[in-house]
Amino acid sequence: IQYWNAPANQWQSARPQPDASGRGFWQDKIGTTHHEAGTLFMGAPGASITDTNGKFHGKTNAYVAGPALFPTLGSANPSLTALSLARRTANAIIAATIETAAAGFAPLSLAPADWQMVKQSGSPATMIHHGTVLETSGWYGLYWYTKEQFGNFVLSLEWRISRREENSGVYIRIPAPNVANPLQAADALGHEIQIDQRGFDSTTGTEGHPLKVTGAIYDLQAPSGSAQVQIGEWNRYEIEANGSRIRVTLNGQLVNDYQSPRQQTGYLALQAHDFQSRTQFRNLMIKQLP
C-alpha cells in the first residue's frame, strides 16, 4: 500500500500522520486542488444542503450535479465520482416523474415492439421515446398500441403541448392496423379524444370548431365546458369507455359524456398530426372494467 503525502508531494509506504492541528498529511498546498467541493454538500436533512440524490432539501424540483455535492474532496480528479453521482441524480429525476399505478390500473408497455406507427403515404411521422415520455414527430400518422385490444376500460394518461397550434389526439376502440385503409377506419369506426386548443377547422381555415377542440370526441360531440389548458404544463385525461358510454375527464373535470353507436372494443393509438406539433405523453395507465 502506498500513501500520498501532500505536503511532501510524494507517495510513501508509511501511513502519514496528522500534524498538531489534525491536518497536515491530507491538506493540499495552494494550487494543487482544481475542483470545488462542499458548497452544496449532501447528507441528512438538517445537516446538509442536498440529499444523497443531489436534490435540495425542501425543494421538489431542484437538483445539483457535480463535485459541489461532495462533503470533502482530495486532490485526485473526481470526474468519475461526479459522473456516477450525476447518473444517480438523473435516475432519481426520472423515477420522480413515473407515476405509481393506482389500484386496479396497470401501465401500458412502452416497448417499441408493442407499438406500430401507421402513417400516410410519404409521411415521416414517428414517435420519439424519451425514456418514459413519448413525443410525436412528423406529419400524419397513428401510433397503434398493438399488444392488446380493450373493451371496457379506464385509460389514464398525461399529455402536454409546447405551443397553442399543436394538434394531437388519443384514439380508442379502433380497428387493427392491418385492416384496409387503417387511418380512415380508425376515424370511421373508433373515437378520437381531441387535443387542439384552437379547435382548428382545416376545411374553412377557422378556429373555434366545437367538435374539433380539446375535450371533444372528434366530429361526434363537443366538450360540455371549457377545456383550455396551460401551454407547457402536464394535463391528465381519464377516458372511461364502458359499453356505449364514453366519459372524458380533463384535469379532474368531466368535459364529455357521450353515448356512442360505434364498436365497443378495439385498439388504442396516439396521433402524430403535423410538423409543428410535438405533443408529449407519459404515465399511460389502464384499468379494465367488467
Side-chain angles (χ1 to χ4, degrees):
I1 299 175
Q2 293 289 304
Y3 299 91
W4 177 250
N5 188 321
N9 195 33
Q10 65 182 19
W11 293 96
Q12 63 186 52
S13 58
R15 181 183 180 90
Q17 298 300 311
D19 59 18
S21 67
R23 300 186 297 242
F25 75 94
W26 55 264
Q27 188 172 31
D28 285 353
K29 297 177 181 179
I30 295 176
T32 59
T33 298
H34 308 285
H35 300 274
E36 299 79 6
T39 53
L40 301 172
F41 61 97
M42 59 187 180
S48 62
I49 308 301
T50 55
D51 67 15
T52 54
N53 287 322
K55 186 175 75 69
F56 284 101
H57 294 304
K59 304 298 181 182
T60 58
N61 195 29
Y63 294 78
V64 178
L69 294 170
F70 300 172
T72 59
L73 186 67
S75 297
N77 191 318
S79 296
L80 292 179
T81 304
L83 287 171
S84 297
L85 287 174
R87 289 175 63 91
R88 184 165 72 180
T89 298
N91 288 334
I93 293 172
I94 292 171
T97 67
I98 300 175
E99 185 176 282
T100 302
F105 282 84
L108 294 183
S109 168
L110 296 182
D114 293 328
W115 297 80
Q116 178 184 347
M117 178 61 80
V118 178
K119 49 197 175 184
Q120 290 180 344
S121 176
S123 167
T126 187
M127 186 70 76
I128 303 171
H129 286 240
H130 301 288
T132 58
V133 175
L134 306 181
E135 181 179 323
T136 66
S137 178
W139 58 274
Y140 201 83
L142 292 182
Y143 199 47
W144 248 270
Y145 184 65
T146 56
K147 184 177 182 180
E148 59 184 312
Q149 55 183 318
F150 304 97
N152 298 328
F153 60 88
V154 180
L155 173 65
S156 175
L157 58 86
E158 291 181 295
W159 57 270
R160 70 176 174 183
I161 54 176
S162 60
R163 53 202 302 274
R164 181 174 176 269
E165 294 77 12
E166 286 191 24
N167 189 316
S168 186
V170 180
Y171 278 72
I172 64 171
R173 290 177 167 176
I174 61 175
N178 58 357
V179 301
N181 301 315
L183 298 178
Q184 293 88 335
D187 285 326
L189 301 177
H191 310 79
E192 179 191 359
I193 315 306
Q194 178 72 332
I195 297 173
D196 182 358
Q197 294 296 279
R198 297 187 300 165
F200 185 73
D201 185 356
S202 58
T203 303
T204 62
T206 59
E207 298 184 5
H209 195 300
L211 297 181
K212 303 179 189 294
V213 73
T214 299
I217 300 178
Y218 190 84
D219 268 351
L220 295 174
Q221 182 163 288
S224 56
S226 173
Q228 294 297 301
V229 300
Q230 293 294 317
I231 306 300
E233 297 293 329
W234 285 104
N235 302 282
R236 180 183 299 278
Y237 262 157
E238 284 199 0
I239 303 165
E240 179 180 345
N242 197 354
S244 62
R245 189 179 190 184
I246 298 175
R247 291 159 52 92
V248 180
T249 300
L250 172 63
N251 296 332
Q253 175 187 359
L254 181 66
V255 295
N256 217 316
D257 192 340
Y258 177 64
Q259 291 289 337
S260 173
R262 295 184 174 182
Q263 64 182 36
Q264 296 182 13
T265 190
Y267 292 87
L268 308 174
L270 304 174
Q271 183 190 65
H273 191 272
D274 56 76
F275 281 114
Q276 294 182 323
S277 298
R278 300 295 293 265
T279 308
Q280 294 184 331
F281 299 91
R282 72 177 186 183
N283 291 327
L284 286 78
M285 308 278 184
I286 197 156
K287 177 171 69 173
Q288 301 204 53
L289 303 174

